[in-house]
Amino acid sequence: MMYMEINSNINAGGVQGPTSPQRPASPAKPAGDGVSFDNSAALESALKSLPDARPDAVASAKEKAINPNYPPTVLVHKLARLFAMQLESEKSESSDK
């Protein structure tokens, strides 16, 4: 009869071989004179090329501002209830102190 030997020692190597100990991460180097800001000029240029306002967003905001049904009454009432509950909660917490 043939028997298979099983080694239950996990550190024996396994299929992928022995693992090497992990090196501690090197400490981050503080920013100093050796830091390069070559890409910052490109980023600043890209930011300057963006428009101050988005026309589509401005148009949408104008439409909402002149709409007497915006925001919906249901939403206003729900928000009012939430604010009132928050105020009551803060009021009861301050009186408990």
Side-chain angles (χ1 to χ4, degrees):
M1 218 186 253
M2 212 181 220
Y3 292 99
M4 183 173 161
E5 183 180 337
I6 299 174
N7 187 348
S8 62
N9 184 355
I10 347 178
N11 295 326
V15 176
Q16 296 178 351
T19 59
S20 59
Q22 296 292 325
R23 293 182 189 170
S26 60
K29 295 179 182 177
D33 294 339
V35 177
S36 173
F37 291 102
D38 295 335
N39 291 333
S40 65
L43 177 61
E44 189 171 338
S45 173
L47 287 173
K48 285 182 180 179
S49 70
L50 290 175
D52 290 336
R54 294 185 352 237
D56 57 329
V58 172
S60 174
K62 283 182 180 179
E63 287 177 18
K64 290 176 182 176
I66 62 172
N67 182 353
N69 297 319
Y70 184 83
T73 307
V74 173
L75 178 63
V76 173
H77 288 288
K78 286 181 178 182
L79 287 171
R81 270 190 235 117
L82 284 172
F83 291 144
M85 289 184 338
Q86 181 66 32
L87 284 172
E88 286 296 320
S89 173
E90 289 175 3
K91 188 177 177 181
S92 66
E93 286 176 8
S94 66
S95 65
D96 290 342
K97 291 181 182 181

